Amino acid sequence: MRGRKVAYIFQDPLSTLHPLYRIGDQLIEAIRVHDPVSHAEAHKRAVKLLEDVRIPNAAARARAHPHELSGGMRQRVGIAMALANDPDIIIADEPTTALDVTVQAQILALLSDLRRDRGLAILFITHDFGVVGQLCDRVAVMYGGRIVETGDTAEVLAAPAHPYTARLIACVPELGGGQRELAAIPGLPPAVDDLPAGCAFAPRCDKAQAACRASDIELSGDARKVRCLYPEGAS
């Protein structure tokens, strides 16, 4: 399943790739583990993968070691490795965190194009709402290891229902919107192996009532789901 059906793009491309092996050899290994093709055929496919992720002079780059590439190029190699065996879904764990803003935009555009062209799904893990708004069709917001709200991205960002989602969005600075105080969330998140009874966000929520701490709260709703007894906007 791993590699063939589900692939993974790691957060730090420098630590993802083996420092002593050439880029092409690492791609060839990823291909031949799942597909018993010749070394020559695997090398041809590896170069094609590098071209697919828009690495210039792909044949020469295949002979390079990871330290010879920039951070953005290394991340493109990581994406190529994830694509090596045509998976159905790619899990991307904050793959743009270590990149500057310009390169981040290029990687996001690349992922969006690959998703459309190859017909695959991307599960994108991030704390950046800008990335969510640009790339994702649906969003699931998690707190304490559990989903607290999920729905269409545009709807969730425009009108968050869970207090935690609303407070997260309120923490995002707005350029050109005038001066305003950022609404930081008080307190600290709980340890996921020692969650409080009821809603895990209740100790930090200004809408919490006794019922919020009494028992587990179900994730309810249809296309738009929320784990809250007193969601935002409710009367």
Side-chain angles (χ1 to χ4, degrees), residues 9-172:
I9 302 172
F10 292 89
Q11 181 172 348
D12 183 359
L14 186 58
S15 62
T16 301
L17 302 170
H18 197 297
L20 302 182
Y21 288 86
R22 299 181 189 276
I23 294 300
D25 291 336
Q26 298 187 56
L27 280 168
I28 289 169
E29 181 183 30
I31 294 168
R32 298 186 76 190
V33 161
H34 295 277
D35 198 352
V37 298
S38 67
H39 187 278
E41 175 62 22
H43 180 268
K44 181 179 178 181
R45 285 168 56 176
V47 172
K48 179 62 167 61
L49 284 166
L50 294 178
E51 292 173 347
D52 289 346
V53 296
R54 302 172 190 167
I55 289 183
N57 198 7
R61 294 293 186 184
R63 297 191 295 271
H65 289 87
H67 70 271
E68 298 178 281
L69 304 180
S70 67
M73 287 293 180
R74 285 193 294 264
Q75 193 59 284
R76 290 171 189 265
V77 174
I79 295 170
M81 292 182 72
L83 294 171
N85 296 286
D86 293 320
D88 297 325
I89 181 171
I90 290 178
I91 301 172
D93 181 11
E94 300 203 42
T96 60
T97 299
L99 307 176
D100 64 56
V101 176
T102 302
V103 177
Q104 173 180 292
Q106 295 171 356
I107 295 298
L108 291 176
L110 172 63
L111 288 172
S112 183
D113 291 344
L114 290 170
R115 176 186 61 171
R116 181 181 63 254
D117 296 342
R118 289 176 173 252
L120 53 81
I122 297 178
L123 175 60
F124 202 99
I125 303 168
T126 183
H127 61 273
D128 189 330
F129 277 109
V131 171
V132 171
Q134 178 179 343
L135 188 67
C136 302
D137 298 317
R138 293 182 60 79
V139 60
V141 180
M142 299 187 70
Y143 185 82
R146 306 180 76 184
I147 293 176
V148 296
E149 181 172 358
T150 181
D152 177 82
T153 297
E155 293 180 3
V156 171
L157 295 184
H162 196 279
Y164 176 61
T165 310
R167 296 298 293 273
L168 276 182
I169 294 175
C171 290
V172 178

